[in-house]
Amino acid sequence: MSESGKRILVIGATGQIGSEITLELRRRYGKDNVVASWHKKGLSEQLESGPVEHLDATDCQSIKKILSEYSIDTVYHLAAILSAVGEKNPQLAWNVNMSSLYNVLEASREKGGMKVFWPSSIAVFGRGAPRFNTPQDAVLIPSTIYGVTKASGELLCNYYATRFNLDVRSVRYPGIISSETMPGGGTTDYAVEIFYEAIKNKRYSCFVRKDTVLPMMYMPDCTKAAVQIMEADPSDIHCRMAYNVTAMSFSAEELAAEIKKHIKGFEVDYEPDFRQMIADSWPMSLDDDLAREHWGWKPDFNLTTIVVDMIAKLKRKLRA
Ligand code: SER
């Protein structure tokens, strides 16, 4: 048992966010106190540094079993079908995203004394929401099934918090840039792919227009936001839907230009596909004042520092 007494289950520990949050949580709370669960994608050696479990989160009994076996008191539920894959199979996205969230909330309600983190997304916004500096309480009319599951999920979390007093906390993440694990089938994936292709081939064919602007965040800030909201005093959490959080906004072309400063001869062309329409329905920038006021949210990385760090990390990784 850690000093803080936390016993954590990460669902989706092999995903883009899960693979890095799991390691951060193990550093903070002790490796034996963080169970990494995985479903389809196999475990990396790093994740084997602590307890691991195979888990299909669409099966509520399996979640309940792990909560009880490991005396879990905190769940980070990060498993989801993302926006681009979701549009190819909306039925699967609804089923996986909604049933897993419902199961986590139900199993946690039944067990009692639980804390849950579940990420929402900028994808909750769509028609009717201002695209610049999108406010916390803008109308939620998502254009993708992924966004529909995130907006519905926020309502479900809010319901469990108010009706059953379940301590569930959430943030609306922008696009996440990371070096450890590739994102799996989202619209903001170009902001990660571009680094790999710049280093490996000095060429990238980008699937959104060069003037596409989206809010973004680097992985260390992504894990920071999750840990910070989970560590916040309950009296500081006044929103049980999900807090807007962001770090910066830039266009695909601005990202490419920043990478070109470090990789001479890097060339990018732009061939927008179906993901362009999704990007065009999302905010270009977010107003995250509420998260800053309520629980002290503040990102550390900007475009310049992300690009330096990503290139150094990926060069090491791709050489290895
Ligand atoms: N990064 C996600 C996606 O592109 C959005 O939350 O689907």
Side-chain angles (χ1 to χ4, degrees):
M1 208 61 156
S2 65
E3 271 170 43
S4 57
K6 278 197 207 321
R7 301 278 294 169
I8 300 172
L9 169 65
V10 180
I11 300 178
T14 52
Q16 185 197 14
I17 299 179
S19 58
E20 300 209 35
I21 275 195
T22 303
L23 299 180
E24 175 59 24
L25 294 172
R26 283 185 177 161
R27 268 192 294 274
R28 283 177 168 262
Y29 306 115
K31 62 178 172 39
D32 296 333
N33 294 309
V34 181
V35 180
S37 78
W38 59 285
H39 184 219
K40 292 233 160 86
K41 203 158 136 204
L43 287 163
S44 66
E45 220 172 276
Q46 269 183 319
L47 287 174
E48 304 263 17
S49 63
V52 295
E53 284 287 336
H54 184 257
L55 172 66
D56 175 0
T58 63
D59 172 14
C60 197
Q61 289 311 320
S62 305
I63 300 177
K64 287 183 188 170
K65 193 162 161 269
I66 295 182
L67 295 191
S68 137
E69 253 172 40
Y70 288 88
S71 307
I72 298 292
D73 54 38
T74 305
V75 177
Y76 285 72
H77 173 33
L78 307 168
I81 304 277
L82 295 184
S83 59
V85 170
E87 285 318 289
K88 298 213 159 132
N89 195 342
Q91 297 74 13
L92 178 76
W94 175 265
N95 183 38
V96 169
N97 294 4
M98 292 317 293
S99 67
S100 64
L101 175 61
Y102 175 74
N103 290 342
V104 167
L105 296 174
E106 253 314 278
S108 301
R109 177 195 65 77
E110 206 180 285
K111 185 162 188 298
M114 294 283 298
K115 232 167 158 178
V116 176
F117 176 80
W118 170 81
S120 184
S121 159
I122 51 168
V124 294
F125 298 113
R127 190 165 51 81
R131 292 191 67 210
F132 291 100
N133 223 13
T134 309
Q136 175 69 37
D137 58 1
V139 63
L140 306 185
I141 309 178
S143 64
T144 59
I145 189 70
Y146 172 71
V148 170
T149 64
K150 289 298 184 186
S152 311
E154 285 193 18
L155 292 170
L156 198 59
C157 289
N158 184 59
Y159 179 77
Y160 269 75
T162 48
R163 173 76 168 79
F164 301 119
N165 213 16
L166 179 68
D167 193 353
V168 48
R169 305 178 182 197
S170 181
V171 296
R172 291 176 183 144
Y173 280 130
I176 304 295
I177 298 175
S178 65
S179 56
E180 185 63 34
T181 306
M182 289 289 275
T187 300
T188 56
D189 294 14
Y190 66 89
V192 180
E193 287 173 8
I194 192 170
F195 285 96
Y196 282 83
E197 295 308 313
I199 293 169
K200 287 197 292 196
N201 305 319
K202 291 197 173 196
R203 273 208 78 83
Y204 181 56
S205 183
C206 184
F207 59 76
V208 294
R209 279 191 324 267
K210 61 183 175 185
D211 62 350
T212 305
V213 176
L214 287 172
M216 296 279 173
M217 181 182 285
Y218 198 31
M219 183 56 83
D221 282 329
C222 170
T223 54
K224 178 179 164 174
V227 170
Q228 207 177 344
I229 193 173
M230 288 299 272
E231 289 281 335
D233 195 272
S235 62
D236 290 332
I237 307 294
H238 304 288
C239 164
R240 293 290 180 170
M241 296 278 284
Y243 281 93
N244 283 4
V245 288
T246 188
M248 78 212 87
S249 288
F250 49 76
S251 67
E253 191 178 31
E254 283 164 336
L255 174 59
E258 194 62 35
I259 295 173
K260 277 179 197 172
K261 289 183 190 165
H262 302 269
I263 300 180
K264 300 287 167 243
F266 175 43
E267 279 178 37
V268 183
D269 61 79
Y270 300 88
E271 288 182 33
D273 65 14
F274 73 101
R275 289 168 281 193
Q276 183 68 53
M277 256 171 65
I278 301 178
D280 288 344
S281 75
W282 289 353
M284 293 177 168
S285 56
L286 281 188
D287 174 351
D288 61 2
D289 279 357
L290 217 61
R292 289 171 188 258
E293 275 165 36
H294 289 180
W295 43 275
W297 163 243
K298 192 171 167 294
D300 293 323
F301 285 85
N302 59 31
L303 179 56
T304 314
T305 49
I306 288 182
V307 170
V308 170
D309 201 60
M310 271 297 278
I311 291 177
K313 285 197 171 127
L314 286 185
K315 276 190 173 163
R316 268 203 302 277
K317 180 175 159 179
L318 296 173
R319 251 202 312 268

Short mmCIF file of all heavy atoms in Angstrom, two decimals, residues 41-69:
data_model
loop_
_atom_site.label_atom_id
_atom_site.label_comp_id
_atom_site.label_asym_id
_atom_site.label_seq_id
_atom_site.Cartn_x
_atom_site.Cartn_y
_atom_site.Cartn_z
N LYS A 41 -4.47 -4.49 -27.61
CA LYS A 41 -3.07 -4.21 -27.89
C LYS A 41 -2.18 -4.77 -26.78
O LYS A 41 -2.45 -4.54 -25.60
CB LYS A 41 -2.92 -2.68 -27.96
CG LYS A 41 -1.74 -2.23 -28.75
CD LYS A 41 -1.99 -0.80 -29.21
CE LYS A 41 -0.77 0.04 -29.03
NZ LYS A 41 -1.09 1.44 -28.92
N GLY A 42 -1.14 -5.52 -27.15
CA GLY A 42 -0.27 -6.18 -26.16
C GLY A 42 0.50 -5.21 -25.29
O GLY A 42 0.63 -4.03 -25.59
N LEU A 43 1.01 -5.75 -24.19
CA LEU A 43 1.73 -4.92 -23.20
C LEU A 43 3.18 -4.69 -23.61
O LEU A 43 3.82 -5.59 -24.14
CB LEU A 43 1.75 -5.66 -21.87
CG LEU A 43 0.44 -5.70 -21.10
CD1 LEU A 43 0.51 -6.79 -20.05
CD2 LEU A 43 0.17 -4.37 -20.44
N SER A 44 3.68 -3.50 -23.33
CA SER A 44 5.10 -3.24 -23.53
C SER A 44 5.85 -3.75 -22.29
O SER A 44 5.25 -3.97 -21.24
CB SER A 44 5.34 -1.74 -23.68
OG SER A 44 5.05 -1.11 -22.45
N GLU A 45 7.15 -3.90 -22.44
CA GLU A 45 7.98 -4.37 -21.33
C GLU A 45 7.85 -3.44 -20.13
O GLU A 45 7.78 -3.87 -18.99
CB GLU A 45 9.43 -4.40 -21.79
CG GLU A 45 10.21 -5.60 -21.30
CD GLU A 45 11.56 -5.63 -21.98
OE1 GLU A 45 11.65 -6.15 -23.12
OE2 GLU A 45 12.49 -5.09 -21.38
N GLN A 46 7.80 -2.12 -20.44
CA GLN A 46 7.72 -1.11 -19.37
C GLN A 46 6.49 -1.31 -18.48
O GLN A 46 6.56 -1.16 -17.28
CB GLN A 46 7.62 0.28 -20.00
CG GLN A 46 8.96 0.94 -20.21
CD GLN A 46 8.76 2.32 -20.77
OE1 GLN A 46 7.91 2.52 -21.64
NE2 GLN A 46 9.53 3.27 -20.30
N LEU A 47 5.37 -1.68 -19.13
CA LEU A 47 4.14 -1.83 -18.35
C LEU A 47 4.18 -3.07 -17.46
O LEU A 47 3.44 -3.18 -16.49
CB LEU A 47 2.91 -1.87 -19.27
CG LEU A 47 2.53 -0.53 -19.90
CD1 LEU A 47 1.41 -0.70 -20.89
CD2 LEU A 47 2.12 0.50 -18.85
N GLU A 48 5.06 -4.01 -17.81
CA GLU A 48 5.20 -5.21 -16.99
C GLU A 48 5.93 -4.92 -15.68
O GLU A 48 6.16 -5.81 -14.88
CB GLU A 48 5.98 -6.30 -17.77
CG GLU A 48 5.37 -6.67 -19.12
CD GLU A 48 4.49 -7.90 -19.09
OE1 GLU A 48 4.09 -8.30 -17.98
OE2 GLU A 48 4.22 -8.45 -20.17
N SER A 49 6.29 -3.64 -15.47
CA SER A 49 7.00 -3.27 -14.24
C SER A 49 6.10 -3.32 -13.01
O SER A 49 6.56 -3.14 -11.88
CB SER A 49 7.57 -1.85 -14.37
OG SER A 49 6.50 -0.93 -14.51
N GLY A 50 4.82 -3.57 -13.19
CA GLY A 50 3.88 -3.66 -12.06
C GLY A 50 2.78 -4.64 -12.43
O GLY A 50 2.86 -5.30 -13.46
N PRO A 51 1.72 -4.72 -11.58
CA PRO A 51 0.65 -5.67 -11.87
C PRO A 51 -0.08 -5.37 -13.19
O PRO A 51 -0.29 -4.21 -13.52
CB PRO A 51 -0.31 -5.51 -10.68
CG PRO A 51 0.13 -4.31 -9.94
CD PRO A 51 1.53 -3.99 -10.33
N VAL A 52 -0.42 -6.43 -13.92
CA VAL A 52 -1.15 -6.28 -15.19
C VAL A 52 -2.31 -7.26 -15.23
O VAL A 52 -2.25 -8.32 -14.64
CB VAL A 52 -0.23 -6.53 -16.42
CG1 VAL A 52 0.86 -5.48 -16.51
CG2 VAL A 52 0.37 -7.91 -16.39
N GLU A 53 -3.37 -6.88 -15.91
CA GLU A 53 -4.55 -7.74 -16.05
C GLU A 53 -5.13 -7.59 -17.44
O GLU A 53 -5.20 -6.47 -17.96
CB GLU A 53 -5.65 -7.34 -15.04
CG GLU A 53 -5.40 -7.75 -13.62
CD GLU A 53 -5.59 -9.24 -13.36
OE1 GLU A 53 -6.33 -9.90 -14.15
OE2 GLU A 53 -5.00 -9.74 -12.40
N HIS A 54 -5.58 -8.68 -18.03
CA HIS A 54 -6.32 -8.57 -19.28
C HIS A 54 -7.76 -8.23 -18.91
O HIS A 54 -8.34 -8.84 -18.01
CB HIS A 54 -6.25 -9.89 -20.05
CG HIS A 54 -6.91 -9.79 -21.38
ND1 HIS A 54 -8.15 -10.31 -21.63
CD2 HIS A 54 -6.51 -9.18 -22.52
CE1 HIS A 54 -8.49 -10.02 -22.89
NE2 HIS A 54 -7.51 -9.35 -23.44
N LEU A 55 -8.34 -7.22 -19.57
CA LEU A 55 -9.69 -6.80 -19.18
C LEU A 55 -10.47 -6.30 -20.39
O LEU A 55 -10.02 -5.43 -21.13
CB LEU A 55 -9.59 -5.66 -18.14
CG LEU A 55 -10.90 -4.96 -17.77
CD1 LEU A 55 -11.84 -5.91 -17.03
CD2 LEU A 55 -10.63 -3.72 -16.91
N ASP A 56 -11.68 -6.85 -20.56
CA ASP A 56 -12.62 -6.33 -21.54
C ASP A 56 -13.61 -5.47 -20.76
O ASP A 56 -14.46 -5.99 -20.04
CB ASP A 56 -13.33 -7.49 -22.24
CG ASP A 56 -14.41 -7.00 -23.20
OD1 ASP A 56 -14.60 -5.77 -23.30
OD2 ASP A 56 -15.05 -7.84 -23.83
N ALA A 57 -13.48 -4.13 -20.90
CA ALA A 57 -14.28 -3.22 -20.06
C ALA A 57 -15.75 -3.20 -20.47
O ALA A 57 -16.57 -2.58 -19.78
CB ALA A 57 -13.69 -1.82 -20.09
N THR A 58 -16.12 -3.89 -21.57
CA THR A 58 -17.54 -3.98 -21.89
C THR A 58 -18.20 -5.09 -21.06
O THR A 58 -19.40 -5.32 -21.15
CB THR A 58 -17.79 -4.24 -23.40
OG1 THR A 58 -17.23 -5.50 -23.76
CG2 THR A 58 -17.19 -3.14 -24.26
N ASP A 59 -17.39 -5.78 -20.25
CA ASP A 59 -17.91 -6.82 -19.36
C ASP A 59 -17.82 -6.33 -17.91
O ASP A 59 -16.73 -6.28 -17.33
CB ASP A 59 -17.09 -8.10 -19.58
CG ASP A 59 -17.44 -9.18 -18.57
OD1 ASP A 59 -18.48 -9.04 -17.88
OD2 ASP A 59 -16.65 -10.14 -18.47
N CYS A 60 -18.97 -5.96 -17.34
CA CYS A 60 -18.99 -5.33 -16.01
C CYS A 60 -18.45 -6.26 -14.92
O CYS A 60 -17.76 -5.82 -14.00
CB CYS A 60 -20.42 -4.89 -15.69
SG CYS A 60 -20.48 -3.71 -14.34
N GLN A 61 -18.78 -7.56 -15.04
CA GLN A 61 -18.34 -8.51 -13.99
C GLN A 61 -16.82 -8.55 -13.88
O GLN A 61 -16.26 -8.65 -12.79
CB GLN A 61 -18.86 -9.94 -14.30
CG GLN A 61 -20.35 -10.12 -14.12
CD GLN A 61 -20.84 -9.58 -12.77
OE1 GLN A 61 -20.21 -9.72 -11.73
NE2 GLN A 61 -21.99 -8.89 -12.81
N SER A 62 -16.14 -8.48 -15.04
CA SER A 62 -14.67 -8.52 -15.03
C SER A 62 -14.10 -7.29 -14.32
O SER A 62 -13.09 -7.37 -13.62
CB SER A 62 -14.11 -8.56 -16.45
OG SER A 62 -14.67 -9.61 -17.16
N ILE A 63 -14.75 -6.13 -14.52
CA ILE A 63 -14.28 -4.92 -13.83
C ILE A 63 -14.47 -5.09 -12.32
O ILE A 63 -13.55 -4.85 -11.54
CB ILE A 63 -15.04 -3.66 -14.31
CG1 ILE A 63 -14.84 -3.44 -15.81
CG2 ILE A 63 -14.60 -2.43 -13.54
CD1 ILE A 63 -15.62 -2.28 -16.40
N LYS A 64 -15.65 -5.56 -11.94
CA LYS A 64 -15.95 -5.73 -10.51
C LYS A 64 -14.95 -6.67 -9.85
O LYS A 64 -14.50 -6.43 -8.73
CB LYS A 64 -17.36 -6.31 -10.33
CG LYS A 64 -18.46 -5.30 -10.61
CD LYS A 64 -19.81 -5.92 -10.36
CE LYS A 64 -20.93 -5.00 -10.82
NZ LYS A 64 -22.24 -5.66 -10.80
N LYS A 65 -14.58 -7.73 -10.58
CA LYS A 65 -13.65 -8.72 -10.05
C LYS A 65 -12.29 -8.07 -9.74
O LYS A 65 -11.72 -8.27 -8.67
CB LYS A 65 -13.50 -9.85 -11.08
CG LYS A 65 -12.83 -11.08 -10.57
CD LYS A 65 -13.12 -12.27 -11.50
CE LYS A 65 -12.11 -13.37 -11.27
NZ LYS A 65 -10.92 -13.31 -12.11
N ILE A 66 -11.80 -7.26 -10.69
CA ILE A 66 -10.49 -6.63 -10.48
C ILE A 66 -10.57 -5.60 -9.34
O ILE A 66 -9.68 -5.52 -8.51
CB ILE A 66 -9.97 -5.98 -11.79
CG1 ILE A 66 -9.71 -7.07 -12.83
CG2 ILE A 66 -8.70 -5.16 -11.53
CD1 ILE A 66 -9.16 -6.56 -14.14
N LEU A 67 -11.66 -4.82 -9.31
CA LEU A 67 -11.80 -3.81 -8.24
C LEU A 67 -11.72 -4.49 -6.87
O LEU A 67 -11.07 -4.00 -5.94
CB LEU A 67 -13.15 -3.07 -8.35
CG LEU A 67 -13.40 -2.19 -9.57
CD1 LEU A 67 -14.65 -1.34 -9.37
CD2 LEU A 67 -12.21 -1.29 -9.90
N SER A 68 -12.37 -5.65 -6.78
CA SER A 68 -12.39 -6.33 -5.49
C SER A 68 -11.07 -7.04 -5.21
O SER A 68 -10.51 -6.90 -4.12
CB SER A 68 -13.62 -7.24 -5.47
OG SER A 68 -13.33 -8.46 -4.92
N GLU A 69 -10.52 -7.76 -6.19
CA GLU A 69 -9.28 -8.51 -5.97
C GLU A 69 -8.12 -7.63 -5.53
O GLU A 69 -7.32 -8.01 -4.68
CB GLU A 69 -8.86 -9.19 -7.28
CG GLU A 69 -9.09 -10.69 -7.26
CD GLU A 69 -8.85 -11.30 -8.62
OE1 GLU A 69 -7.89 -10.88 -9.30
OE2 GLU A 69 -9.64 -12.18 -9.01
#
